[in-house]
Amino acid sequence: MNLAAKDIRHNVGRFGLTTIGIGMLLMVVMGMGGIYRGIEADATLLIDEVGADIWVVQKDTRGPFAEISRVPSNLLYRLEAVQGLSNAREFVFHTVQREHDGRALRIAIIGLSWPRDKGAWLVLTEGRPLLQNHYEMIADESLGLRLGEKVQLAKESYEVVGITSSMMSAAGDGLGFVTVADAQAIQFDTSGEALRLERAARKIRGEDSEIGANMPILLDQANRPSMEIPALSRPQISAVMASVEAGADIDQVMENLSGWSDVSVFTRQGQRDLLLKGSVEKVRQQIGLFRILLTIIAAIIMALILYTLTLDKIHTIALLKLVGAPNSKILGLIMQESLFIGVLGYGIAYLLGQRIFPNFPRRVILINDDLVQLGLIVIVISVVASFLGIWKAMRVSPNEALS
Amino acid sequence: MSESLAIVTEGLSKIYGSGNTEVVAMRDASVEVKHGEVVALLGPSGSGKSTFLTAVGLINPPTTGRVLINGEVVMDGPRAMTSLRRFRRREIGYVFQKSNLIPFLSAVENVQIVMEINGSGAAEGRRRALDLLEELGVRDRADNLPSMLSGGQQQRVAVARALANHPSIILADEPTAALDSSRGRQVMELFAQVAHDHGAGVIVVTHDQRALDVFDTLYEMEDGLIGRAEHPEGKRVKY
């Protein structure tokens, strides 16, 4: 006869509520792990998906995903000349926040190197890749934009032509893909008044400088748009990425590029590692500590619950001892109830999580390894938590059955 | 009544505390109970009845003296001469003032559990449990939880549980205290029947003077000493 099963059936409401409580606590533990996995996946998503083997970024920076990186756009042509490299593409990345339909819309803008890159590598749930150089956008579904919807960014409006799923930046913002030119237009947008003021200031600076005095013709150029002034380069880009040709040795390519003193070069794995060891690592540590705390709290709560359940059964335990029940029978009663609460709580945590986590603002990714690991932890804390109740039960005298 | 001795106590005493706080709860208690004999132990509250019963029941060891069950020395002073838990399981049945049934087990399961603890199979245990409940007149409540039974029915189930492992002795501590006189007498008669039919030695601690005629032998305790008691039907009286 399984005493634990009988006791649970008799007190089904109490066990049920207890188990639901433990389940919700475990769901939080599970969710914390899922949030970390989500952050990790979001952080490395672009690096993994974009298919570049080499990332060339501003010297001594860790690349556009970790910090601000600025490289000249003509770097693209230098890379194209490197033996073993192909498919070099400009890469622009920045985040904007604008009002849209009365709500704050935060978009992580990715510039695609038109016409080489039209976003064909993106997995679209709806729509199509970019078909023109301007005013089209592929948006992630997390941005809440519909196909065909127009979004006003800088001075232009962009039509959503494709929808992706789960394409997020490391900060958790949904990605919006436009061409590099559009990304730069959005990034460096300046109001008309600001332009006029800058042109006037430019003229004054020119007049005050030696070069302005020596070459007055330069002052005639001051009123022209910046991009048309030969002395000024085009707006810079965040990075250039490239693929290693089939059969080429990536180590050899890296060695060749290591001689370029104006940029830093990373392999895909290098960029990934930098990201994971940077800001994501701190998040991982923070969440990891929080998980440990929650696990300890869950263990303490379970121990207290089991202790209380054992106290409620002291008379029964004393009676069992009196009629000669071996310790294993009593130990089994407490430990089975503990495991029941733990295992069922884990199941509830999983089922609740499956329904609740998709509604979280950031992705919560439950992977099998984490689920198995948490399952084992739950079994361990169920066993450990039962020790307090078992300790109490072992101290009960059969005498107490007579009271 | 078999002439073999189920219980023998020799000079049992129990002393709590020491020095100024010393309390002698029982002194030099010597008793013999034969198989098939039903014995009442009378006395006021605090006289040492329960101390004696728990010493004989191998729950609360005596300070000095010996307890023999079926001729085997089980306790020699506070020292256990055998595995007490196993001995309790096999040889002793207990009935308490309150029925002390396990609240989450049905009537039949409350009886069955002690047999399973003693190594019986589930089917065999259930069959015998049902037979005992039948014998005690509560077969129709076999699947009810204790909370659904009357006090008398609960006490019958407790008696069935005490009988489950064919114990050689049954110890009952004020088993009728919570019952009305009619049901109290029924329970006392039940003990007598059990002693006679099953050959167990039965000791019943009681305050209830209304059913003393049921017992074969009366003992009386006062201030920790076993003393003389008058038997209403002139049966044996023990000192």
Side-chain angles (χ1 to χ4, degrees):
Chain A
M1 188 185 306
N2 188 309
L3 291 177
K6 299 281 181 188
D7 187 26
I8 290 165
R9 194 179 303 162
H10 184 248
N11 295 296
V12 67
R14 184 175 185 183
F15 273 95
L17 285 174
T18 303
T19 307
I20 288 170
I22 291 291
M24 295 186 82
L25 193 59
L26 291 175
M27 183 192 72
V28 176
V29 178
M30 197 180 278
M32 295 307 289
I35 288 170
Y36 165 67
R37 293 294 178 191
I39 289 170
E40 188 183 59
D42 289 346
T44 56
L45 182 93
L46 258 181
I47 297 169
D48 292 337
E49 296 288 324
V50 80
D53 300 317
I54 298 280
W55 288 80
V56 184
V57 304
Q58 183 178 334
K59 182 72 178 172
D60 295 334
T61 71
R62 294 178 300 161
F65 301 112
E67 56 184 302
I68 291 174
S69 166
R70 290 279 173 262
V71 293
S73 55
N74 61 10
L75 182 63
L76 178 75
Y77 308 113
R78 287 165 62 194
L79 278 172
E80 282 181 335
V82 173
Q83 192 173 11
L85 282 184
S86 65
N87 196 23
R89 288 168 284 166
E90 298 163 294
F91 182 82
V92 173
F93 175 78
H94 58 87
T95 303
V96 296
Q97 182 170 327
R98 300 285 184 272
E99 283 285 314
H100 178 74
D101 278 351
R103 65 182 173 100
L105 181 63
R106 195 171 165 82
I107 311 176
I109 300 280
I110 301 285
L112 301 178
S113 188
W114 179 274
R116 291 179 181 173
D117 187 354
K118 298 172 182 174
W121 51 273
L122 291 167
V123 179
L124 301 178
T125 57
E126 278 183 271
R128 56 166 174 78
L130 303 182
L131 283 184
Q132 61 185 44
N133 193 11
H134 289 294
Y135 317 131
E136 286 190 345
M137 174 190 280
I138 298 168
D140 187 68
E141 63 183 0
S142 64
L143 294 170
L145 300 171
R146 296 180 307 277
L147 205 62
E149 192 170 350
K150 296 204 169 179
V151 185
Q152 184 72 31
L153 295 171
K155 294 184 178 61
E156 309 297 342
S157 75
Y158 295 83
E159 183 182 353
V160 176
V161 297
I163 301 286
T164 60
S165 175
S166 303
M167 295 294 280
M168 321 277 273
S169 73
D173 302 313
L175 296 181
F177 300 86
V178 294
T179 61
V180 165
D182 284 347
Q184 288 174 325
I186 294 166
Q187 186 177 12
F188 299 108
D189 175 48
T190 313
S191 69
E193 182 62 15
L195 283 174
R196 282 190 289 277
L197 288 171
E198 168 55 17
R199 285 173 190 170
R202 193 184 292 160
K203 193 171 181 188
I204 292 168
R205 286 198 302 273
E207 288 167 349
D208 290 348
S209 68
E210 188 181 344
I211 189 170
N214 294 339
M215 300 175 68
I217 193 168
L218 265 182
L219 301 179
D220 296 338
Q221 307 292 322
N223 282 335
R224 295 172 59 191
S226 299
M227 62 182 296
E228 293 177 11
I229 301 174
L232 300 176
S233 65
R234 290 175 61 196
Q236 295 194 314
I237 56 176
S238 303
V240 177
M241 52 190 178
S243 304
V244 174
E245 287 176 337
D249 181 3
I250 190 166
D251 294 331
Q252 185 60 50
V253 172
M254 290 294 288
E255 193 178 328
N256 292 343
L257 293 176
S258 66
W260 293 14
S261 58
D262 60 330
V263 291
S264 291
V265 185
F266 296 102
T267 60
R268 180 194 302 190
Q269 190 57 44
Q271 185 71 288
R272 231 176 160 273
D273 292 345
L274 272 177
L275 253 180
L276 295 179
K277 286 174 186 162
S279 54
V280 175
E281 174 67 10
K282 284 183 181 167
V283 172
R284 189 187 71 80
Q285 288 173 349
Q286 185 127 335
I287 290 177
L289 286 171
F290 204 52
R291 272 186 98 188
I292 290 169
L293 277 177
L294 279 173
T295 307
I296 292 170
I297 290 167
I300 291 170
I301 289 174
M302 274 188 74
L304 289 175
I305 288 171
L306 287 163
Y307 183 70
T308 309
L309 289 173
T310 306
L311 287 184
D312 287 349
K313 283 194 286 287
I314 285 296
H315 203 261
T316 296
I317 289 167
L319 188 66
L320 287 169
K321 285 189 171 184
L322 183 65
V323 298
N327 284 340
S328 58
K329 188 87 179 171
I330 297 158
L331 189 144
L333 166 67
I334 297 168
M335 197 165 280
Q336 282 168 29
E337 287 184 357
S338 178
L339 285 169
F340 170 84
I341 290 172
V343 171
L344 199 63
Y346 178 84
I348 288 170
Y350 181 75
L351 292 176
L352 279 178
Q354 292 287 331
R355 292 187 171 275
I356 293 174
F357 294 154
N359 299 314
F360 277 32
R362 291 204 62 155
R363 282 204 293 166
V364 180
I365 298 174
L366 302 179
I367 64 171
N368 287 340
D369 285 354
D370 288 353
L371 291 173
V372 170
Q373 185 192 51
L374 182 61
L376 292 174
I377 289 171
V378 167
I379 288 172
V380 170
I381 63 173
S382 299
V383 172
V384 171
S386 68
F387 288 166
L388 193 60
I390 288 169
W391 171 79
K392 179 67 184 171
M394 291 300 107
R395 289 167 59 93
V396 172
S397 161
N399 253 332
E400 293 188 39
L402 308 179
S403 59
Chain B
M1 187 190 310
S2 164
E3 288 302 306
S4 62
L5 292 171
I7 305 164
V8 176
T9 67
E10 297 174 349
L12 289 188
S13 65
K14 181 71 181 181
I15 301 169
Y16 293 104
S18 61
N20 290 337
T21 60
E22 183 178 290
V23 174
V24 180
M26 172 176 67
R27 65 185 83 191
D28 199 24
S30 298
V31 165
E32 288 182 357
V33 180
K34 296 184 180 68
H35 286 112
E37 184 179 20
V38 56
V39 170
L41 182 58
L42 308 171
S45 294
S47 60
K49 304 186 300 294
S50 293
T51 303
F52 175 77
L53 202 70
T54 54
V56 175
L58 312 180
I59 302 167
N60 190 12
T63 309
T64 60
R66 296 202 308 169
V67 177
L68 292 84
I69 294 176
N70 299 328
E72 181 182 346
V73 179
V74 185
M75 295 295 298
D76 190 353
R79 194 154 56 95
M81 307 301 287
T82 183
S83 163
L84 297 185
R85 199 176 286 199
R86 196 179 65 219
F87 211 87
R88 285 201 301 264
R89 186 164 67 221
R90 290 179 180 169
E91 302 295 342
I92 306 175
Y94 301 88
V95 182
F96 311 99
Q97 182 174 338
K98 289 180 284 184
S99 60
N100 272 345
L101 299 177
I102 297 174
F104 52 83
L105 299 183
S106 66
V108 67
E109 287 167 345
N110 263 285
V111 181
Q112 192 181 336
I113 184 71
V114 293
M115 288 184 273
E116 284 192 24
I117 287 170
N118 203 29
S120 293
E124 181 195 345
R126 184 173 175 84
R127 192 166 52 248
R128 174 159 165 73
L130 288 171
D131 288 347
L132 283 167
L133 293 179
E134 178 81 44
E135 187 180 337
L136 293 164
V138 281
R139 170 68 178 80
D140 57 329
R141 311 308 299 270
D143 292 321
N144 289 149
L145 290 172
S147 58
M148 300 163 75
L149 303 177
S150 70
Q153 288 169 332
Q154 287 183 26
Q155 210 54 299
R156 284 166 180 272
V157 175
V159 173
R161 181 178 64 191
L163 291 172
N165 285 331
H166 303 285
S168 53
I169 64 172
I170 293 175
L171 305 173
D173 191 2
E174 310 229 17
T176 60
L179 304 178
D180 59 38
S181 59
S182 160
R183 293 199 183 281
R185 182 169 184 85
Q186 281 179 7
V187 170
M188 292 303 195
E189 287 174 347
L190 198 56
F191 283 121
Q193 181 195 337
V194 163
H196 300 150
D197 293 355
H198 293 263
V202 178
I203 299 177
V204 180
V205 166
T206 183
H207 276 109
D208 193 346
Q209 301 283 328
R210 294 165 297 187
L212 295 181
D213 57 301
V214 170
F215 296 94
D216 298 318
T217 310
L218 304 183
Y219 284 95
E220 189 167 20
M221 279 193 88
E222 190 159 359
D223 295 332
L225 285 167
I226 297 272
R228 181 190 293 271
E230 294 290 335
H231 195 290
E233 293 188 348
K235 289 184 184 176
R236 286 183 295 155
V237 173
K238 292 285 182 181
Y239 297 91

